[in-house]
Amino acid sequence: MSIVIRVKGANFSNSGLPKLIPTIAGFTTENLKGLFLFEEGTVDQAHSGQFVDSSGLGNHGTLRGNWLQPTKKAFGMQGGAGGIAINTGIAAGQKLTVVLGVKFNEPDPASNVYPLIFGPSAQMPASIAAAATLGSNKMFINAQFIPSSNANDMDWGVYKSGGPITGDATTRKTISGSAGHANSSCLIGFTYDATATFLLAKHAGGEFRTSAAALAFDPADTLAFGLLNAASGHNVAAGVELYLAAIYSDSSEALLDAAMAAARARITGRGVTLL
């Protein structure tokens, strides 16, 4: 962790001089609420206990419902049948930025099952093969299976249950350039500002953005993430990979880009090739 030296009364913001910015594992610590590197544990052994929050705030993740503990790997965590589901206890607040490194492993996906990687804990499925609570007017990040075009074609998108994402009637917006990528190792980034009604979701291949986003969360909603089912009766296939998750209580494109760059550097350093 870096050290910040403060000089009382001094302001060098417009001086052009370099600034010391505190970081943890390459992530700026300002407004960082949770940093899950998944570097704890013994390789090829089942994970046990909490998932370590490296932010220093103690917001350690806990296994959700009846999901099985994943297996620790050099790249992070690998989930068994049903995937991985983790509760954080971190509130969404008015501003939120999230970066996730993930990979599904769906060999022959069914249509319109929309497996999830992020959302409010109370609306996520309570157990393997249960359904998400979709009448709740809340935001999720998910994948969509598109077998009509290719049996393994999946894209990434943001989905808002119970109402449209923007002023039109659409409840799901695809992140451009992401078709066919959800079964690959990738980074997904999401930033949201309730006051500014700004929402931006990014992937290496493109983005979705709007400055007219509908309300996505209650500020008190606590957050969950992983790789898990959304539709009743759908079990996410074993072999999913979870590399990293970072959660900030602030929102800007600059913050999102910096967090995604830090995540990419950390994950590729483990030998993972990301899109």
Side-chain angles (χ1 to χ4, degrees):
M1 182 174 180
S2 303
I3 298 174
V4 177
I5 301 173
R6 299 187 184 277
V7 180
K8 187 175 181 179
N11 184 349
F12 303 112
S13 59
N14 296 315
S15 68
L17 296 173
K19 303 173 183 64
L20 294 174
I21 300 174
T23 62
I24 297 173
F27 292 82
T28 179
T29 60
E30 187 174 9
N31 298 308
L32 179 64
K33 296 301 180 184
L35 179 59
F36 305 91
L37 300 173
F38 303 115
E39 294 175 353
E40 70 271 18
T42 302
V43 172
D44 293 330
Q45 298 295 314
H47 180 272
S48 63
Q50 297 178 317
F51 298 90
V52 173
D53 167 27
S54 295
S55 74
L57 298 178
N59 292 322
H60 305 301
T62 57
L63 198 66
R64 184 176 176 85
N66 66 342
W67 274 268
L68 301 175
Q69 286 281 6
T71 299
K72 166 64 182 169
K73 295 290 186 180
F75 56 71
M77 297 290 171
Q78 185 175 64
I84 305 173
I86 297 172
N87 290 331
T88 69
I90 299 170
Q94 293 288 340
K95 295 182 178 182
L96 176 67
T97 296
V98 177
V99 173
L100 294 160
V102 293
K103 178 186 178 183
F104 277 107
N105 185 40
E106 295 293 324
D108 188 18
S111 178
N112 298 321
V113 292
Y114 300 98
L116 304 169
I117 62 169
F118 173 80
S121 179
Q123 277 67 52
M124 298 284 256
S127 62
I128 294 174
T133 305
L134 297 181
S136 54
N137 209 31
K138 305 291 174 123
M139 189 76 70
F140 301 87
I141 303 175
N142 66 6
Q144 179 185 19
F145 297 163
I146 318 171
S148 59
S149 57
N150 184 295
N152 292 311
D153 196 8
M154 302 163 62
D155 68 10
W156 290 106
V158 288
Y159 172 77
K160 184 168 180 285
S161 63
I165 292 174
T166 62
D168 62 21
T170 307
T171 58
R172 187 179 190 272
K173 296 290 188 180
T174 298
I175 302 173
S176 65
S178 67
H181 290 175
N183 265 344
S184 301
S185 301
C186 60
L187 284 175
I188 304 296
F190 173 88
T191 190
Y192 170 72
D193 185 333
T195 302
T197 66
F198 175 69
L199 185 155
L200 171 62
K202 281 192 173 185
H203 171 273
E207 64 180 43
F208 166 74
R209 72 170 65 216
T210 178
S211 57
L215 184 66
F217 306 99
D218 184 298
D221 286 337
T222 59
L223 305 172
F225 66 88
L227 298 106
L228 61 155
N229 50 283
S232 177
H234 172 243
N235 288 346
V236 169
V240 298
E241 298 178 4
L242 182 56
Y243 309 121
L244 182 150
I247 302 173
Y248 285 87
S249 60
D250 197 5
S251 174
S252 73
E253 186 169 1
L255 172 60
L256 178 61
D257 288 346
M260 291 185 76
R264 180 172 292 275
R266 194 75 180 187
I267 296 168
T268 55
R270 302 173 191 166
V272 177
T273 300
L274 294 166
L275 292 176

